Amino acid sequence: MNALSQPRSSQTPVTPSAFAAQQLSPSFPARAAWGTGAKLRAWQQEALDAYMQTLVSQQGRDFLLAATPGAGKTTFALRVATELLSRREIAKVTVVCPTEHLKSQWADAAAHVGIQLDPAFTNAQLVAGAHFDGVCVTYAQVGANPSVHKARTQSERTLVILDEIHHAGDSLTWGDGVAEAFESAARRLSMTGTPFRSDTSPIPFVTYVEDGEGIKRSRADYTYGYGDALRDFVVRPVLFMTYSGTMRWRTKAGDEYEARLGEPLTKDLTKQAWRTALDPEGEWIRAVIAAADQRLTEVRRSVPDAGGLVIASNKTAARSYARVLRELTGKAATVVLSDDEGASEKIDLFAGSTDRWMVAVRMVSEGVDIPRMAVGVYATSASTPLFFAQAIGRFVRARRRGETASVFLPSVAPLLQLASELERERDHALGKPYDPDAPTEEDLAMAQVNAVENASDDLLGSFEALDAHAEFDRVLFDGSEFGLGAEVGSVEEQDFLGIPGLLEPEQVTTLLRAHQAKQAKAQKNGGKGSSAHGPNAVSQHRLRAERRKELNQLVAAWARRSGEPHGVVHTKLRKTCGGPEVPQATIEEIEARIAKLRNWFVGRT
């Protein structure tokens, strides 16, 4: 664990908790209701000790908690609230959260610990009902009329819980509104599951410290990262199942392009190939959804209520993906569109059911709590760290040891990099002048994800998806990569999809290594490999193109494994096997390099 989350045994002892734990349901191994774990996890107790120390030492009113999604921030915050209420340090509680759905979720969780919060409070009311201990509001609500919330905060000693505080940097209105409304709060507890942004918007009540390079970075009072949570079995590890394939599309000018996902491409070509893959009418997304459903079936053998979520870019795509799921499974998927009336009720119903699939747009927001969600399809082109981390956070909430999440991704560089960096912790940095009028990367990404149906038409106006062939690429797990590529429906793909849904991480790694060794051996021995390349009655130029494609896939896989650039790997192969550069090499020379690469893989595993 990092320095911020080390045990604080050397600090001044903290007064024993006045909280009546017996009022709560057990938290582990059976999972309690959201935010109501009776027994604090080790990190929560450490964080509570740290928080109470700031109270004892009078070091300030603010405390920033950075804890990975699914770790249990709500339980921690409600324990702080009950402590402060019992000590009469505060009289009221205000929870500020990103969405309307979370207001009710917070109120329900607080009720389990005897705190009554009003999620229906509106700015027009001005004053909350006397029978409530506080209110739940959104950042947008505060930004719309901060004076209402300022008056409430000044009237009583108030604890303000700022859930996912990074949203206070989303716009100048929200940030200024939060600062004005809660400046006079008796205590402020700020929390985030993703303590980073790609812009430099300052966040109210967050302390920034200049590093050695002159950049100001946010400083959390307690940090509990994804790596820490994995080691403590608080969150699930994630299997990233990646899929590549050949994409073909036509531009507005009438030019046709063909490219493979996962191969080095310009940014524009990557985006167009990616969009072609996600085309609801194409074969790629249908094949990937079918693979994800097969994976869900395997997981449900050991986790019977496991559910799946397809994250769509827009309404049109969401409805199309739902139709694909109905055709594949014979059952309707739950479709959740954030601007539909009753979206929150749909989420609650799905969370409490054993239904297989949900398709959602925009409802991948922080804190949406469906612990049984175990399989996901990332069918959106949003690629900012903030959005990706929050999306993956929907699948990592652990209920018992051995559960593993499976998320299906397009093999595009931005997503592969984010997946490989999942365990990296980042701070929000202020390193350049802030332009309040400039849209942030998150603004642009969310605008794309939250687009209305017309946006889909605009997108298709720039190009026409013609063909999208899916191929299984590889699995990312625990910082390593497994698999050498395979055709959809092949034995190799089935091996990886069939990994049991309830295994310890070490067992998962052992199985992945075994499957990769089996695949490499089969290819070395001339068996029907993933691409099923054999002596077919095809023209020499097509056969040569297939061999080059196979060689490039293997070179890319070895480059990722060894850390060597693609060019270095190609040079080593030429020196070992002889022959010219790949474009001029004969079929026999290319096949010799393929055989050498397979030997390398077998030797390494």
Side-chain angles (χ1 to χ4, degrees), residues 74-154:
T74 306
T75 295
F76 167 77
L78 292 175
R79 180 63 65 90
V80 168
T82 57
E83 291 282 356
L84 296 183
L85 285 168
S86 67
R87 293 164 180 253
R88 301 189 184 279
E89 294 281 345
I90 60 168
K92 295 291 182 181
V93 178
T94 295
V95 175
V96 189
C97 51
T99 66
E100 291 290 328
H101 175 75
L102 286 177
K103 286 164 56 176
S104 297
Q105 199 163 290
W106 267 99
D108 291 340
H112 278 84
V113 299
I115 300 175
Q116 298 300 326
L117 301 179
D118 182 8
F121 176 82
T122 65
N123 289 350
Q125 287 180 239
L126 301 179
V127 179
H131 53 291
F132 285 107
D133 298 308
V135 300
C136 298
V137 295
T138 63
Y139 285 98
Q141 194 173 341
V142 174
N145 196 340
S147 61
V148 169
H149 305 279
K150 178 179 181 179
R152 286 193 311 99
T153 303
Q154 290 177 333

Side-chain angles (χ1 to χ4, degrees), residues 418-455:
L418 290 172
S420 65
E421 293 177 350
L422 185 62
E423 297 178 19
R424 178 183 296 179
E425 295 172 7
R426 307 183 187 189
D427 290 323
H428 175 229
L430 298 179
K432 56 185 178 181
Y434 169 56
D435 179 2
D437 297 322
T440 69
E441 287 185 38
E442 277 72 39
D443 294 332
L444 297 174
M446 290 306 295
Q448 178 180 329
V449 173
N450 300 340
V452 296
E453 294 180 31
N454 291 338

Side-chain angles (χ1 to χ4, degrees), residues 52 74 187 193 317 388 405-406 413 441:
M52 300 310 295
T74 306
R187 302 288 289 184
F388 185 83
S406 302
E441 287 185 38

Side-chain angles (χ1 to χ4, degrees), residues 540 543-545 547-548 551 573 577-580 582 584-596:
Q540 287 294 302
L543 185 59
R544 185 166 168 273
R547 291 294 186 267
R548 283 178 55 188
L551 175 63
L573 286 170
C577 304
V582 170
Q584 289 78 39
T586 66
I587 292 177
E588 290 74 16
E589 289 167 336
I590 293 173
E591 287 180 336
R593 297 175 195 180
I594 289 173
K596 176 60 68 174

Side-chain angles (χ1 to χ4, degrees), residues 394-418:
R394 299 316 100 213
F395 304 99
V396 301
R397 297 177 185 271
R399 296 184 295 179
R400 57 173 171 161
R401 283 185 59 164
E403 288 186 330
T404 301
S406 302
V407 178
F408 288 70
L409 300 177
S411 285
V412 291
L415 296 186
L416 297 178
Q417 181 177 356
L418 290 172

